[in-house]
Amino acid sequence: MTFSLVGMCRRTGMFGAAVTTSSMGVGSRCPYARAGVGAVLTQHRTDPQLGSRGLELLAADHSASQVIAALARDNPTIGWRQLAVIDRRGDTAYYHGDRIASIHAAAQGEAVCAIGNIIRHANIPPAMVEAFGRNPAEHLAERLLRALEAGLAAGGELKQVQSAALLVV
């Protein structure tokens, strides 16, 4: 019931995350970002500790894929989670837990990664990545917002969207 993305502006070095869902208060539990470090998304039975821990690992110069591996290692609840990470180099990684029964998908592009769960079809994250990359000279916040709009236009999630968040650092 959530679709989101992390992204980086190569021109300015800004990082951001944007998320939308049918549940309330998504901005307080899913997107995490730190200037000069990167961004993390945690969703589908969200565990906010994963966002904070992911940022600490990024600050210690772990790559996006190393962060995903560390967050998944020895975590008995990771099967319920979905994650996306972008590191200071603009490299991305994602994770889908094996207990996510709904349609879920991910797509990666140049300094962007989109993920979704309980979505109408698997083409939503690719539509978001395409929209994010369309105008790289635009402000990062605008690109993230356009990507969410593209995800909604591509079919979005199964329930009505009621909450969204946009975080740029």
Side-chain angles (χ1 to χ4, degrees):
M1 68 182 171
T2 305
F3 53 99
S4 61
L5 72 159
V6 290
M8 175 186 184
C9 176
R10 294 271 188 207
R11 186 175 45 82
T12 64
M14 290 190 291
F15 291 100
V19 56
T20 188
T21 188
S22 60
S23 93
M24 296 304 291
V26 72
S28 67
R29 65 182 189 279
C30 292
Y32 296 81
R34 188 178 301 164
V37 172
V40 178
L41 286 164
T42 171
Q43 61 192 46
H44 193 273
R45 299 195 185 178
T46 303
D47 179 354
Q49 294 176 9
L50 296 175
S52 299
R53 184 158 177 250
L55 287 179
E56 291 304 318
L57 291 165
L58 288 170
D61 207 30
H62 287 73
S63 70
S65 51
Q66 289 171 327
V67 170
I68 292 288
L71 294 177
R73 188 173 30 255
D74 301 324
N75 183 332
T77 65
I78 199 66
W80 298 108
R81 317 295 181 207
Q82 191 176 40
L83 305 168
V85 177
I86 188 165
D87 63 31
R88 68 182 73 208
R89 291 166 289 285
D91 295 331
T92 64
Y94 63 89
Y95 175 84
H96 302 298
D98 60 1
R99 293 185 178 163
I100 300 173
S102 65
I103 295 174
H104 55 280
Q108 295 169 288
E110 171 58 30
V112 63
C113 181
I115 57 176
N117 65 76
I118 313 178
I119 51 179
R120 292 193 187 277
H121 53 78
N123 295 330
I124 291 160
M128 295 167 65
V129 166
E130 192 277 325
F132 179 86
R134 199 173 294 140
N135 295 304
E138 285 185 329
H139 191 281
L140 181 61
E142 185 67 29
R143 296 171 67 198
L144 292 166
L145 183 58
R146 288 183 189 273
L148 284 184
E149 291 172 339
L152 188 60
E157 62 174 272
L158 300 176
K159 296 181 180 179
Q160 181 180 356
V161 170
Q162 296 189 39
S163 178
L166 176 68
L167 174 64
V168 173
V169 296

